[in-house]
């Protein structure tokens, strides 16, 4: 598998925004308390979601960096490889690869999506 480029780390840190508290992604401006109904996913850091996050939890920049670099991006990379395969990924430029990792972090990677079919076919002009 290709390394995760610093380019995507920097991009996500800039664009995702850093939140140092756990919030509900469906109501991000609501201060969570045990009585508040959770409508979405508990989220913190640079968009990290996990069953380990708890209402009222505060996180550090180090926590957020660790989740992004050591969990979220490696999971996205595996999902991308599972959806597309190494053959197609190896032909991508670093910018294309970084863009797809950011895409997967935000939207996922269901194997039957047209975007993956086009990438497998190396029809990059259609992506």
């Amino acid at each position: 598998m290709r390394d995760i480029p610093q380019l995507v780390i920097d991009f996500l840190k800039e664009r995702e925004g850093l939140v140092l508290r756990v919030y509900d992604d469906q109501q991000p401006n609501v201060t969570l308390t045990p009585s508040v109904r959770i409508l979405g996913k508990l989220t913190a850091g640079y968009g990290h979601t996990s069953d380990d996050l708890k209402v009222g939890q505060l996180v550090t920049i180090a926590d957020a960096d660790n989740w992004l670099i050591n969990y979220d991006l490696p999971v996205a990379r595996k999902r991308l490889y599972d959806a597309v395969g190494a053959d197609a990924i190896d032909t991508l430029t670093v910018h294309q690869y970084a863009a797809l990792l950011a895409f997967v972090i935000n939207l996922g990677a269901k194997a039957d999506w047209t975007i993956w079919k086009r990438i497998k076919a190396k029809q990059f002009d259609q992506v």
Side-chain angles (χ1 to χ4, degrees):
M1 276 194 213
R2 286 174 73 165
D3 290 339
I4 295 168
Q6 185 65 43
L7 174 71
V8 73
I9 296 168
D10 296 342
F11 174 81
L12 289 169
K13 283 183 168 186
E14 178 184 333
R15 298 293 180 176
E16 290 295 325
L18 173 61
V19 180
L20 296 176
R21 62 174 173 77
V22 172
Y23 64 94
D24 179 343
D25 70 348
Q26 294 298 309
Q27 46 187 352
N29 297 320
V30 172
T31 300
L32 297 180
T33 62
S35 63
V36 172
R37 184 170 169 246
I38 305 301
L39 303 177
K41 291 183 179 181
L42 293 180
T43 306
Y46 301 105
H48 176 73
T49 61
S50 168
D51 292 340
D52 294 335
L53 296 176
K54 305 293 180 221
V55 170
Q57 179 181 351
L58 300 177
V59 300
T60 65
I61 294 172
D63 291 330
D65 287 348
N66 180 53
W67 291 331
L68 179 64
I69 295 165
N70 297 312
Y71 178 76
D72 298 325
L73 279 166
V75 167
R77 177 177 57 188
K78 181 174 182 337
R79 289 178 179 160
L80 180 60
Y81 269 85
D82 288 348
V84 178
D87 183 52
I89 291 173
D90 289 345
T91 64
L92 300 172
T93 68
V94 68
H95 288 90
Q96 290 169 327
Y97 178 54
L100 289 174
L101 287 171
F103 179 92
V104 172
I105 276 192
N106 281 287
L107 298 173
K110 293 189 179 180
D112 62 344
W113 288 351
T114 300
I115 187 173
W116 310 134
K117 294 173 187 173
R118 298 294 182 259
I119 292 170
K120 285 180 189 179
K122 300 180 183 163
Q123 297 170 331
F124 303 125
D125 62 323
Q126 296 181 31
V127 176

